[in-house]
């Protein structure tokens, strides 16, 4: 029994609440919910995050400010799930925080490719939420590639690839050419280039296949165990571009 109580206590410390607890505050004033969102009780912060559904600019900004400093898992999830229901305006404000929350982003190339059989979830918390939003924000994501902000470009590529992979209508020739252009422009940034190679698995075409096969053939002095080569092989398989 003590173990169960201890487990419940730990869950509360991490901001876990039930649907009934959330619904108790349905229709509460935004001002009260915002006070709860920034309060000391993690469960109240979670309840507030789920009930802040009217996503005007002020609410979005407050959610993002809290997310930037939030330590409790379930409260983070609540904030992200609320933001993911937002529109273009919400996405634009979220983009300001790309690569700035937490320390889970790649700062160097990984040693191995993902073992997942689908598109890997973005590691950056904002990139992950952007990738799960309605596909109508896709152009807003692509616009980040024109900013010359290296940190944001690195992270938004994960959002772009993730969204395009699960929304096949986004895998157009126009959109894939934007990824090709990004590869050429930032060919000296290893992380951007690596993420573009992964991203191409969401844009299956003969041209994509040709680009990826150039890496598989170990052009430009790459060795068989280089991450670019391995990622290109995985992208060919993931994008169903391998020869039968």
């Amino acid at each position: 029994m003590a173990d169960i109580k201890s487990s419940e206590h730990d869950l509360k410390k991490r901001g876990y609440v039930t649907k009934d607890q959330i619904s108790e505050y349905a229709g509460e004033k935004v001002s009260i919910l915002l006070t709860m969102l920034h309060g000391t009780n993690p469960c109240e912060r979670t309840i507030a995050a789920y009930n802040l559904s009217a996503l005007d600019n002020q609410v979005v900004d407050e959610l993002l400010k809290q997310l930037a400093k939030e330590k409790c898992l379930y409260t983070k999830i609540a904030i992200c799930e609320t933001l993911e229901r937002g529109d273009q305006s919400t996405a634009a404000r979220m983009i300001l925080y790309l690569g700035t929350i937490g320390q889970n982003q790649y700062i160097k190339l990984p040693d191995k490719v993902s073992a997942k059989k689908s598109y890997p979830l973005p590691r950056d918390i904002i990139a992950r939420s952007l990738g799960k939003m309605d596909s109508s924000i896709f152009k807003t994501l692509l616009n980040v590639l024109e900013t010359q902000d290296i940190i944001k470009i690195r992270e938004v590529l994960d959002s772009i690839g993730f969204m395009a992979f699960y929304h096949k209508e986004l895998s157009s020739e126009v959109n894939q050419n934007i990824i090709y252009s990004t590869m050429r422009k930032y060919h000296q940034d290893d992380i951007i280039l690596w993420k573009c190679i992964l991203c191409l698995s969401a844009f299956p075409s003969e041209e994509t296949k040709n680009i990826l096969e150039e890496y598989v053939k170990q052009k430009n002095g790459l060795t068989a165990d280089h991450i670019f080569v391995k990622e290109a092989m995985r992208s060919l398989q993931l994008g169903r571009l391998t020869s039968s």
Side-chain angles (χ1 to χ4, degrees), residues 45-104:
R45 295 199 299 271
T46 302
I47 290 169
Y50 276 125
N51 280 289
L52 285 165
S53 56
L55 290 178
D56 61 23
N57 289 342
Q58 180 198 4
V59 169
V60 171
D61 288 344
E62 294 301 324
L63 286 166
L64 287 166
K65 287 177 187 176
Q66 185 60 38
L67 182 61
K69 61 183 180 180
E70 184 58 62
K71 303 298 182 184
C72 298
L73 173 63
Y74 293 103
T75 309
K76 286 182 181 179
I77 292 172
I79 294 173
C80 289
E81 288 184 355
T82 295
L83 289 170
E84 287 162 19
R85 296 196 294 270
D87 57 12
Q88 300 272 7
S89 177
T90 302
R93 298 179 103 77
M94 291 168 66
I95 282 168
L96 299 175
Y97 286 78
L98 272 173
T100 68
I101 300 177
Q103 299 179 338
N104 202 34

Side-chain angles (χ1 to χ4, degrees), residues 98 144-158 182 186 192 195:
L98 272 173
V144 179
L145 300 179
E146 301 174 7
T147 65
Q148 300 184 19
D149 187 321
I150 298 296
I151 299 301
K152 287 182 172 55
I153 290 171
R154 286 177 174 179
E155 304 310 326
V156 83
L157 281 166
D158 291 335
T182 302
Y186 294 101
I192 290 180
K195 288 193 174 185

Side-chain angles (χ1 to χ4, degrees), residues 221-238:
L222 297 178
T223 58
D225 61 349
H226 195 285
I227 189 64
F228 290 173
V229 176
K230 292 180 178 179
E231 200 66 73
M233 292 175 66
R234 181 173 186 274
S235 287
L236 283 167
Q237 295 168 349
L238 200 61

Side-chain angles (χ1 to χ4, degrees), residues 192-211:
I192 290 180
L193 187 53
W194 163 61
K195 288 193 174 185
C196 282
I197 294 171
L198 171 58
C199 193
L200 288 183
S201 66
F203 297 88
S205 69
E206 193 63 30
E207 188 171 0
T208 288
K209 180 180 178 181
N210 292 337
I211 291 172

